[in-house]
Structure formats: structure tokens, C-alpha cells
Amino acid sequence: MEFDHIKSSAALIYDEFIQNADSRTESWFLMSSPLPQTIVIAIYIYFVTSLGPRIMENRKPLDLKGVLIFYNFSVVALSVYMIYEFIMSGWGTGYSFHCDLVNYSESPQALRMAATCWIYYFSKFIEMLDTVFFVLRKKSSQVTFLHVYHHSIMPFTWWFGVRFSPGGMGTFHALLNCVVHVIMYTYYGLSAMGPNYQKYLWWKKYLTTIQLIQFMLVTTHISQYFFIKDCPYQFPIFIYIIGLYGLIFLFLFMNFWYHAYTKGKRLPKVLQAQMWAHHTNGVINGNANHEKDE
């Protein structure tokens, strides 16, 4: 009986909560409730952290070169399309980059923005294939907490964005993210094409710099809300979530930068060797100078 009471109370709370949702997106794919996406995300986490590695444990890594080239450049094309749609539905056609509210009307431009938000949301499920490919290729070092957390939290939070607030200042980080993904997935696509192209990919280190800049801009933009005297944004909770999201990922990527590049753990082996040689020479020269001083 107690369980039934808890269940009915939870259902009542959810019904009251969902009454404030955007009716325009209610019938769209995966938008009926957060349950379907929660199941997908749970399966994703289970596969990439447990089931997948066990399946591949005694198998050779799969050769996915052709699949990776197609996948990465497809994500580039999709990201370019979303950039165009975000610009044409608001960010280049009227948004002030300050207190931009959600347009809940049935106007073509408002519906275009809502549809673009849904496409962006759905693209987060497509990007989960990043981790699946790592597992199938037995690149276990790539399946980090940061990576899995990022690919899990983005679609989950964006369901609420599309259902309640598809537009306005809360979508600036999505536009920026699409720009970053054009650069990132172009790199990944070229890298997948083989050694003949990898020598031109010296700018790998700067991908993390670009991501850091992205989260700095996201945090700066969304922080305006707390300094604007009159900004009647319809769902302020999303402002707090985006701000927290920006800060968390800024911290995580700074931590990644420190361990990957300052310590040289993720640099190409040639550069790691150069760093080690430089460090060793510095120690030897330092000791030699110290002996001279004595």
C-alpha cells in the first residue's frame, strides 16, 4: 500500500510538472516522457562500461575505417546544418545575445527554432556512437568518465529543454557546440583516413583549447541573466542548469588539459619523447650546473 501511495504521488507530481511543458513538441519522437530516453541512456552506459568490453575481451579490435570516415563527416554535415538553422531561426535574425526569451507561438520562425532544438537533442544520441566505436575498436583509454558523462548528461537534460524551453538564450550553448563539432569531427574524419593524413593533424592539442573557450563563452553568456535587472525568462531553472553545466565542463576539461597535455599523457609518442628528452636534458644540465657551482 505504501508503494502504491508513493507511486500515485509521484504520478501526480509529474502530471502537474508536465502541464507547463510546450504543447508544440508533445507529439514529437521521444518527447512523450523522459522514460524512453532514460532507458536508451542506461543501455548506453551499461554497454560502454560493462557489456561491450566483456564482449570484446577475447576478440580482435574491429576495423571500422570506412564506417568512421562516413560517420564523422556525416556529423560534420549535420552540425553545419544545425548552425544554419539556429542562425536563421533566431541567433542571426533577431536575437540580442542578452535576454532572449522563448517564442512559444505557432509562427514559422518559432516552430523552426523548436524543430532545430529537437534535431540538436536527437544528434546527442547519434554522438553516443563515438563511445560504441571506441569499445568495438578496443580503445578503452578513450572511454573516460568525462567522455561517458558528457554523452549521457547532454541528451537527458536536453529532453527538458525541448519539452519546456525550445529557444531563447538557453540555446546559445547549442549553437556554439555545433561550431565546435564541425572542427572536432572534421579532425576525427581526417584522422580516420589513415597515416597519410595524420601528419596534417598537428592541431589536435588545440581541440581541447577550443572546447575550453566554448565553455568560457557559454558561462559568460548565461551569467548575464544574473546581472540583467529585468529578464523574464520563462524557465529560469534552465539558466541555472546551463550555468552549472558550463562550470562543470570547464573544470573537467581544464583537468583533462592538465593531465593530457601539461603532463604529456595524450600527446603523440614523438612529442612525448621530445618532452621526456627535454625534461631529462634539463635535469642533467641542472645537475651539471649545480656541480660547477660547488
Side-chain angles (χ1 to χ4, degrees), residues 239-255:
I239 301 296
Y240 289 91
I241 291 172
I242 294 167
L244 182 62
Y245 158 87
L247 289 173
I248 288 174
F249 278 101
L250 182 60
F251 170 77
L252 289 174
F253 272 93
M254 287 177 67
N255 183 64

Side-chain angles (χ1 to χ4, degrees), residues 145-147 149-150 208 212 215 245-259:
F145 169 78
L146 172 58
H147 181 89
Y149 175 75
H150 176 72
T208 307
L212 285 170
F215 293 120
Y245 158 87
L247 289 173
I248 288 174
F249 278 101
L250 182 60
F251 170 77
L252 289 174
F253 272 93
M254 287 177 67
N255 183 64
F256 172 83
W257 172 273
Y258 173 74
H259 288 285

Side-chain angles (χ1 to χ4, degrees), residues 133-204:
F133 293 146
F134 285 149
V135 172
L136 297 179
R137 296 166 62 217
K138 301 185 78 168
K139 301 285 187 179
S140 58
S141 63
Q142 305 280 9
V143 187
T144 62
F145 169 78
L146 172 58
H147 181 89
V148 176
Y149 175 75
H150 176 72
H151 282 285
S152 301
I153 199 68
M154 282 296 288
F156 186 81
T157 54
W158 258 85
W159 183 91
F160 295 93
V162 177
R163 269 313 262 121
F164 289 86
S165 187
M169 64 188 299
T171 62
F172 177 70
H173 73 283
L175 172 61
L176 274 183
N177 189 233
C178 290
V179 173
V180 171
H181 279 189
V182 169
I183 301 169
M184 281 178 54
Y185 283 94
T186 296
Y187 172 88
Y188 297 148
L190 292 173
S191 180
M193 293 174 72
N196 291 335
Y197 293 87
Q198 289 179 1
K199 61 184 177 182
Y200 301 111
L201 299 177
W202 50 268
W203 40 283
K204 176 183 179 180

Side-chain angles (χ1 to χ4, degrees), residues 4-101:
D4 290 337
H5 175 70
I6 294 173
K7 187 169 67 173
S8 60
S9 298
L12 182 62
I13 293 171
Y14 177 77
D15 288 340
E16 292 179 355
F17 168 73
I18 206 69
Q19 283 179 1
N20 296 316
D22 187 347
S23 60
R24 299 174 304 171
T25 64
E26 181 179 6
S27 62
W28 295 2
F29 183 57
L30 293 175
M31 288 289 106
S32 60
S33 86
L35 181 60
Q37 70 150 7
T38 302
I39 294 172
V40 173
I41 293 169
I43 292 172
Y44 160 77
I45 294 173
Y46 174 63
F47 178 84
V48 302
T49 60
S50 179
L51 180 62
R54 283 191 282 115
I55 291 173
M56 295 302 298
E57 186 176 5
N58 298 317
R59 290 179 169 85
K60 293 182 179 180
L62 298 184
D63 182 7
L64 301 175
K65 179 179 178 180
V67 174
L68 289 172
I69 293 171
F70 175 79
Y71 166 74
N72 287 308
F73 285 116
S74 294
V75 175
V76 170
L78 179 60
S79 299
V80 170
Y81 172 74
M82 288 189 289
I83 291 169
Y84 176 76
E85 288 300 304
F86 273 125
I87 290 173
M88 296 306 295
S89 59
W91 289 106
T93 55
Y95 278 15
S96 66
F97 290 82
H98 295 293
C99 180
D100 296 302
L101 306 181

